[in-house]
Amino acid sequence: HVQLVESGGGSVQAGGSLTLSCKATGYTSDHYCMAWFRQTPGKQREGVAAIDHTGRSRTATYAPFVRGRFTISKDNAKKIMYLQMNSLKPEDTAMYFCAAQYSGYSQYGRLNFARYGSWGQGTQVTVS
């Protein structure tokens, strides 16, 4: 059973930086693609960044609104995924969730929440 635990959220001023972590247990991480999503009250969960099971940086996918500011990475040996967030804006305020899915064909895009079957509980990021 895959378990994901996020950490690293907090409050920061606009222009600042935060790094989120997602610790995974219960599976072999090099077989799973992973992603970060975010959600604000009343809105649908939206994909932020995704990376494939290898964790190679060239396999990263970013939503347009974070491209150039956020960087996703994955350390398969430690079973931890990261999201480095720079140049934060107030509109980045949200609950951030990590997600994982066994690598393979999916009808859903890598930033589509329907692709993923395992989710963490989330970590709050507030930018003022």
Side-chain angles (χ1 to χ4, degrees):
H1 177 64
V2 177
Q3 292 186 317
L4 304 171
V5 179
E6 303 93 335
S7 62
S11 297
V12 64
Q13 291 188 334
S17 299
L18 282 174
T19 299
L20 306 183
S21 299
C22 174
K23 175 65 175 176
T25 58
Y27 73 103
T28 303
S29 67
D30 56 350
H31 291 165
Y32 280 72
C33 57
M34 299 183 72
W36 287 98
F37 287 78
R38 68 187 189 186
Q39 189 171 24
T40 54
K43 293 189 177 181
Q44 189 174 55
R45 194 166 294 190
E46 61 181 2
V48 174
I51 195 164
D52 83 356
H53 64 287
T54 66
R56 296 191 182 106
S57 59
R58 60 182 172 85
T59 70
T61 300
Y62 295 95
F65 49 81
V66 302
R67 193 173 294 128
R69 299 189 297 124
F70 291 10
T71 302
I72 188 172
S73 60
K74 182 168 169 278
D75 186 329
N76 283 341
K78 296 181 178 179
K79 294 186 178 181
I80 300 178
M81 178 178 65
Y82 302 96
L83 185 68
Q84 173 67 44
M85 304 186 295
N86 298 325
S87 303
L88 283 161
K89 304 175 182 179
E91 51 262 45
D92 293 319
T93 296
M95 184 71 78
Y96 283 72
F97 299 88
C98 66
Q101 183 60 31
Y102 192 83
S103 182
Y105 172 76
S106 172
Q107 63 180 307
Y108 302 107
R110 295 171 69 194
L111 294 181
N112 187 321
F113 68 86
R115 183 187 185 105
Y116 299 89
S118 299
W119 293 87
Q121 294 300 307
T123 185
Q124 178 69 36
V125 172
T126 302
V127 185
S128 60

